[in-house]
Amino acid sequence: CQEAGTRFTSVKRSGPVLHIVVVGFHHKKGCQVEFSYPPLMPDEGHDSNLLPEEWKYLPFLALPDGAHNYQEDTVYFHLPPLTGDRKCVYGVSCYRQIEAKALKVRQADVTRETVQKSVCVLSRVPLYGLLQAKLQLITHAYFEEKDFSQISILKELYDHMNGSLAGSALDGSQVYLGLSPRDLILHFRHKVLLLFKLILLEKKVLFYVSPVNRLVGALMTVLSLFPGMMEHGLVDSSHYRPKSSMSEDLGLVDSSGAEEFITVSVTDIAASNLELEGVESTQPAVESLSSGTSTEGDNHYLKPPSRTSPGSSESDWETLDPSVLEEGVPKEVADVAAELPDTFEPNPEMPITVQPQAVSGQGGVTQGLVSGLEEDQYGMPLAIFTKGYLCLPYMALQQHHLLSDVTVRGFVAGATNILFRQQRHLSDAVVEVEEARVQIQDPELRKILCLTTADLRFADYLVKHVTENRDDVFLDGTGWEGGDEWIRAQFTLYLHSLLSSALQEDNERLLADYGAPFVSAWKITHNYRVWFSNKHPGMTVITPGHPFQGQYGVADVKLRLSHSVQNSERGKKIGNAMMTTSRSMVQTGKIVGQSVGGALTSAKSAMSSWFSTLAQPAPPAASGPEPVAEVKP
């Protein structure tokens, strides 16, 4: 019987759920672990407050900043792997608070009017929405007991989750539960494409909003637009070390595995440049993307930064040593970039189409030779969150040092504390979710991310299809066109077409529709070079060229003008001035008399009508059968 129990324990420990943890707020000690099953420390009891060094931030992630302002909240967070395990640990936490006087059993350390606790699940699989749905029910039941010493329900939760999730495949229906690209586009509109390209460039992107459930929902929904990213692309996304245990040596960290990141001191880069010249001779150089005061956004992977900031050390990192690409990989694979055949014939007369390809049925995934990720036949997911590029859906204030850590070359992170937003120099872009605003300080980066006309057509196409039936409570989000899966299919097509275009010879004209500055910057990123260094058989069926390429027309001029008016500061000032002028004209009309006022009101209506026509998203040039006149630049 004892042997059967031992076998059962070993089976449970190998399941998808690692631990069930309760985190509470102590009036003297702050956030601390109060219960864990199985124990977080093998030699300790279930009620031990001790934590592995790698997980020292767990209490602050599970019980977020400002939690007392909300009755309940949900947090997604990532923890670094423990020693001997190289994969990210995915955390989901459900927070609630209850009045202390409502407790049936009030413990001695309860000295405040309210009791704040979180129940969280630490998992091997990124099933955020599914874990959240189950956890919310159990958390509600746990609080309804009004006696937090009743922990049997938490042990039952552990057994139930491992039993129900064991052997379940990471398919879209489970991974994407609770993530709605439709809502994202309704809120951010065309800026969703800007965020997509921003992450492709591996920039330092900070999302900011409260409460945490809105924050992590927006951030993870953006990542769900990248094919395969949620399923297999985040296993290396939390490889960082707590501040107290971080080595001061800026030399190479052990990079024997494909899932370890590396750091290179600036003084070590000079010796590598000679070796790198031949590898990157075909890649166009890009000017520094850093701002005038710091270089945290510098993407010069092959040479030291042009200037450093005396107040920070975030400019001293290096992304990828070519030896990593060659280590453990046959030479012919490492040199495949020079041997790729021109499999495609670019067809400039290709009709514009965005018919999505089926996400399923693309074949199984295989281990990437260079990326270390499980890839499909197209090389998806891209190796974005590897080699020190972090994905932290929620960051606690105690993790603030990671923004300027030399071992962190970039991040997509979420925060609710205003201190993160105030220190804009530590991020390349700050995404204020509440206002749907993307703030980029560096003018060079803004220029690189400027959406082309073809990009605007693509974004406008998405917005129109999403907004068509948004008022129908029965059909909203359930149809194919304009639905969540349809939107992900469009971004999959966009990315596949971009990669296919990059493989062509004499592809300048094909890539121009994506933005020449953007493509130049993207080609020196880690994810592009890893993808380009290997063959992907599925790409042979992908037609190169932007899905919305084509001649420019009057509709494009209106679309560009609408985009500029709605999003540039100058455009907003013009819009406000026109509204002020309109109100003044109405007031003047009332004063001078009905006849004059009527004329002025008519003029005001005509002006407003003209402005509204420009502000409305124009249909893509390809959607109408009638030809439009070409506008010469």
Side-chain angles (χ1 to χ4, degrees):
C1 187
Q2 183 177 1
E3 293 179 0
T6 304
R7 288 197 302 270
F8 180 62
T9 302
S10 64
V11 170
K12 291 196 297 182
R13 288 183 180 274
S14 63
V17 174
L18 299 173
H19 300 277
I20 302 293
V21 181
V22 175
V23 174
F25 183 82
H26 192 276
H27 65 285
K28 291 183 178 180
K29 302 177 182 178
C31 298
Q32 64 177 8
V33 171
E34 298 180 344
F35 168 82
S36 59
Y37 181 79
L40 293 175
M41 302 294 286
D43 298 331
E44 301 290 336
H46 297 308
D47 57 350
S48 173
N49 304 131
L50 298 179
L51 287 166
E53 178 67 16
E54 295 86 349
W55 291 358
K56 63 183 295 183
Y57 301 126
L58 170 59
F60 311 104
L61 294 169
L63 203 60
D65 295 334
H68 60 278
N69 295 321
Y70 302 95
Q71 196 66 26
E72 56 184 323
D73 203 356
T74 302
V75 187
Y76 301 163
F77 58 90
H78 292 167
L79 292 175
L82 297 179
T83 303
D85 188 358
R86 289 183 168 180
K87 292 188 177 181
C88 170
V89 175
Y90 309 96
V92 177
S93 172
C94 286
Y95 157 83
R96 288 177 66 95
Q97 62 177 331
I98 187 175
E99 292 185 356
K101 63 182 181 181
L103 294 175
K104 295 178 181 178
V105 178
R106 182 165 178 168
Q107 299 175 349
D109 58 352
V110 177
T111 60
R112 298 195 174 192
E113 295 182 356
T114 59
V115 177
Q116 304 166 5
K117 292 186 186 294
S118 288
V119 181
C120 57
V121 174
L122 303 183
S123 171
R124 303 177 194 269
V125 291
L127 298 174
Y128 306 97
L130 187 61
L131 294 174
Q132 176 185 344
K134 294 177 179 290
L135 189 57
Q136 282 179 333
L137 295 174
I138 297 300
T139 302
H140 179 76
Y142 182 55
F143 272 74
E144 284 299 310
E145 291 282 342
K146 296 181 174 59
D147 179 5
F148 295 120
S149 63
Q150 301 296 322
I151 59 176
S152 59
I153 190 173
L154 302 177
K155 296 180 179 180
E156 292 174 2
L157 173 65
Y158 176 83
D159 295 332
H160 167 73
M161 283 191 167
N162 274 320
S164 61
L165 299 178
S168 59
L170 289 177
D171 56 36
S173 61
Q174 292 185 337
V175 174
Y176 299 137
L177 183 64
L179 305 178
S180 175
R182 181 181 176 87
D183 292 340
L184 187 74
I185 289 180
L186 285 173
H187 187 59
F188 281 93
R189 302 179 73 84
H190 72 280
K191 295 176 185 175
V192 173
L193 181 57
L194 188 146
L195 293 174
F196 187 82
K197 299 179 78 170
L198 191 61
I199 295 174
L200 276 178
L201 293 181
E202 298 176 352
K203 292 301 179 181
K204 297 183 176 182
V205 185
L206 180 70
F207 286 71
Y208 176 84
V209 76
S210 291
V212 182
N213 66 81
R214 290 191 60 194
L215 173 75
V216 297
L219 188 151
M220 299 309 296
T221 302
V222 172
L223 297 188
S224 74
L225 301 176
F226 290 83
M229 186 63 71
M230 298 291 292
E231 297 92 329
H232 307 292
L234 300 177
V235 293
D236 289 352
S237 64
S238 62
H239 283 52
Y240 64 86
R241 297 181 182 179
K243 190 174 184 179
S244 60
S245 64
M246 189 172 298
S247 173
E248 298 298 328
D249 180 17
L250 301 184
L252 282 175
V253 179
D254 179 21
S255 58
S256 57
E259 298 179 1
E260 292 291 325
F261 61 78
I262 64 172
T263 57
V264 179
S265 172
V266 173
T267 56
D268 296 334
I269 303 177
S272 304
N273 281 339
L274 295 177
E275 182 181 352
L276 291 168
E277 285 180 357
V279 177
E280 291 295 325
S281 60
T282 60
Q283 303 290 354
V286 177
E287 295 180 359
S288 173
L289 308 183
S290 60
S291 63
T293 57
S294 64
T295 58
E296 65 277 2
D298 197 345
N299 268 353
H300 284 254
Y301 304 131
L302 308 181
K303 58 185 179 181
S306 57
R307 54 185 182 275
T308 58
S309 171
S312 64
S313 59
E314 61 266 22
S315 61
D316 294 346
W317 56 264
E318 178 71 2
T319 302
L320 181 64
D321 190 320
S323 61
V324 176
L325 290 178
E326 298 171 3
E327 185 174 351
V329 180
K331 187 177 186 301
E332 57 270 17
V333 176
D335 297 337
V336 73
E339 301 175 1
L340 280 175
D342 185 9
T343 315
F344 317 101
E345 289 294 331
N347 181 11
E349 303 301 326
M350 180 189 68
I352 300 174
T353 176
V354 287
Q355 290 302 318
Q357 301 176 358
V359 177
S360 59
Q362 294 179 355
V365 293
T366 57
Q367 194 77 9
L369 292 176
V370 180
S371 68
L373 305 177
E374 295 185 19
E375 301 175 350
D376 63 13
Q377 58 182 331
Y378 306 100
M380 302 292 108
L382 293 176
I384 295 176
F385 294 102
T386 58
K387 306 299 181 186
Y389 191 78
L390 304 182
C391 173
L392 303 173
Y394 173 70
M395 282 187 73
L397 187 60
Q398 289 76 8
Q399 295 176 298
H400 183 270
H401 68 280
L402 294 176
L403 300 184
S404 56
D405 196 316
V406 295
T407 64
V408 176
R409 64 184 179 90
F411 52 80
V412 177
T416 58
N417 195 302
I418 195 172
L419 293 178
F420 285 93
R421 187 178 68 169
Q422 289 175 342
Q423 296 187 326
R424 299 181 184 274
H425 65 284
L426 297 180
S427 304
D428 295 315
V430 177
V431 183
E432 298 185 11
V433 178
E434 181 70 33
E435 297 84 8
R437 182 187 308 155
V438 182
Q439 295 193 351
I440 301 174
Q441 299 295 325
D442 184 8
E444 280 297 318
L445 182 55
R446 287 201 300 268
K447 180 180 177 182
I448 287 172
L449 290 170
C450 182
L451 298 182
T452 65
T453 299
D455 282 343
L456 288 177
R457 292 173 182 170
F458 172 72
D460 185 56
Y461 181 81
L462 296 177
V463 171
K464 281 194 170 182
H465 277 73
V466 167
T467 56
E468 278 180 355
N469 298 318
R470 63 177 178 176
D471 296 328
D472 193 324
V473 296
F474 296 104
L475 299 179
D476 186 17
T478 60
W480 169 244
E481 286 200 7
D484 292 337
E485 290 301 321
W486 180 87
I487 294 170
R488 293 190 185 99
Q490 303 306 309
F491 277 94
T492 298
L493 175 62
Y494 181 93
L495 186 56
H496 284 176
S497 301
L498 172 60
L499 292 166
S500 178
S501 302
L503 292 176
Q504 309 306 308
E505 294 182 359
D506 301 324
N507 57 7
E508 289 80 5
R509 188 169 59 82
L510 289 174
L511 294 174
D513 286 324
Y514 295 95
F518 165 77
V519 173
S520 297
W522 174 56
K523 281 189 173 182
I524 63 171
T525 61
H526 174 75
N527 72 80
Y528 174 80
R529 298 191 316 179
V530 168
W531 182 88
F532 192 70
S533 66
N534 203 0
K535 292 182 178 179
H536 309 289
M539 296 306 297
T540 57
V541 300
I542 303 298
T543 306
H546 198 291
F548 279 86
Q549 64 182 342
Q551 294 183 339
Y552 298 154
V554 174
D556 296 313
V557 176
K558 294 175 64 178
L559 187 60
R560 172 66 65 183
L561 180 59
S562 171
H563 171 72
S564 301
V565 167
Q566 293 177 4
N567 298 282
S568 67
E569 292 299 325
R570 182 178 300 177
K572 291 177 181 177
K573 291 179 180 178
I574 293 175
N576 293 334
M578 292 186 67
M579 294 300 295
T580 303
T581 303
S582 299
R583 286 193 294 266
S584 300
M585 292 173 67
V586 172
Q587 294 298 325
T588 304
K590 291 180 180 179
I591 294 174
V592 299
Q594 182 64 34
S595 59
V596 177
L600 290 173
T601 302
S602 300
K604 170 254 181 183
S605 300
M607 179 180 294
S608 299
S609 176
W610 173 81
F611 180 71
S612 299
T613 302
L614 291 178
Q616 290 177 355
S623 60
E626 299 180 2
V628 293
E630 179 180 357
V631 177
K632 297 182 179 180

